[in-house]
Amino acid sequence: MAHGAGGRGGNLTGRTRTRTRTGTRTLVARAAKPTLGIFYATGTGNTKRVANSLKVHFGDLADEPQPIGASNAKDFEGYEAIILGAPSYLWEKHRVSALDFDTIEPPFDDFKDLVGTKVAIYGLGDQKEYPKNFCDAIGILWEHFSLRGAEMVGAVENKGFEFKRSRALKQGVFVGLPLDFENQGEMVGDRVEEWSKQLKREFFQEGSKNQS
Ligand SMILES: Cc1cc2nc3c(=O)[nH]c(=O)nc-3n(C[C@H](O)[C@H](O)[C@H](O)COP(=O)(O)O)c2cc1C
């Protein structure tokens, strides 16, 4: 299995894991990465801002937020939990882009590489300008990472937003956290804080359903 020492079944404290100031892994007996990886794509910076705020909420448990870059599945190795953030961009008639997430793929030799990894998604969108595609990227990412075997967490109630359609809604709930700087900028901070608390429970306290 392509997980690092902190992979499936590892402890979730992450406190034995350290890095040097240059970012090079230190040679310690235990694993070298924090428990939580935060990855994002961004066009104008909003999704990155939220990634940085999540890092503050998770402190040492989380690695520095990283842009997702091109299809680099190896980035996910070694994390026990992952947060992914993506904006939605309606480019063509009906095609919504999640920017750099559009091109990610599972490793060619392991389509289920994320079994045993918990994944949560947040998305940036504009419910007023794009009411028929509100935060669609959340749904796009959710579908991709579910297929890779990840245990998806971080769903929130459909409350406090006004829109017509969203691919992020599945069976009546948002499968990730929608955020809207354009119309509800003043609510973003509280929503992120609340969601971080929820994720701390779902990542670190509740048993993994995927584990055998
Ligand atoms: C050309 C364009 C298309 C957009 N399409 C969507 C969309 O389909 N759905 C949505 O919810 N928001 C849409 N938005 C709003 C952005 O997702 C929103 O501004 C977001 O905060 C951008 O995040 P970023 O700064 O990380 O790129 C669109 C914005 C632009 C400029």
Side-chain angles (χ1 to χ4, degrees):
M1 190 69 201
H3 284 271
R8 191 197 312 222
N11 83 52
L12 290 167
T13 67
R15 296 212 170 82
T16 53
R17 301 160 185 219
T18 52
R19 285 194 153 204
T20 63
R21 281 200 294 177
T22 58
T24 330
R25 289 178 201 177
T26 45
L27 292 174
V28 289
R30 297 284 299 163
K33 273 190 174 186
T35 302
L36 173 63
I38 302 174
F39 297 88
Y40 63 88
T42 190
T44 60
N46 292 338
T47 313
K48 182 178 181 182
R49 275 168 67 193
V50 174
N52 290 337
S53 158
L54 285 163
K55 163 66 183 158
V56 171
H57 286 297
F58 281 92
D60 288 345
L61 287 174
D63 222 338
E64 287 303 320
Q66 303 166 58
I68 188 75
S71 51
N72 192 351
K74 285 207 186 321
D75 284 345
F76 300 134
E77 278 184 24
Y79 292 114
E80 290 163 28
I82 297 168
I83 297 177
L84 305 165
S88 296
Y89 282 94
L90 182 66
W91 291 143
E92 294 143 23
K93 237 184 172 179
H94 295 298
R95 199 182 74 84
V96 171
S97 166
L99 302 185
D100 286 335
F101 282 104
D102 290 352
T103 51
I104 66 164
E105 285 179 19
F108 74 94
D109 57 348
D110 184 8
F111 288 179
K112 294 276 181 193
D113 62 320
L114 294 176
V115 170
T117 304
K118 294 188 180 188
V119 170
I121 298 164
Y122 70 93
L124 276 288
D126 180 338
Q127 61 202 291
K128 215 166 159 189
E129 285 294 317
Y130 301 93
K132 293 182 180 168
N133 300 91
F134 179 49
C135 284
D136 273 4
I138 292 176
I140 294 168
L141 265 59
W142 189 90
E143 288 154 25
H144 175 89
F145 286 93
S146 298
L147 285 174
R148 284 169 73 166
E151 182 185 340
M152 307 306 293
V153 302
V156 300
E157 263 184 286
N158 177 12
K159 244 171 69 178
F161 300 96
E162 270 184 52
F163 61 97
K164 289 201 174 80
R165 277 203 305 267
S166 174
R167 198 163 159 184
L169 268 187
K170 302 201 187 288
Q171 297 176 344
V173 297
F174 281 115
V175 291
L177 177 72
L179 297 166
D180 183 341
F181 271 108
E182 275 86 353
N183 306 292
Q184 297 177 330
E186 74 292 348
M187 298 169 86
V188 170
D190 285 351
R191 282 176 168 159
V192 170
E193 186 177 353
E194 207 44 49
W195 195 58
S196 299
K197 288 183 195 158
Q198 174 186 338
L199 291 188
K200 281 177 190 167
R201 291 192 301 274
E202 293 181 349
F203 281 157
F204 306 129
Q205 285 170 20
E206 292 167 13
S208 166
K209 292 180 208 124
N210 275 6
Q211 289 184 10
S212 48

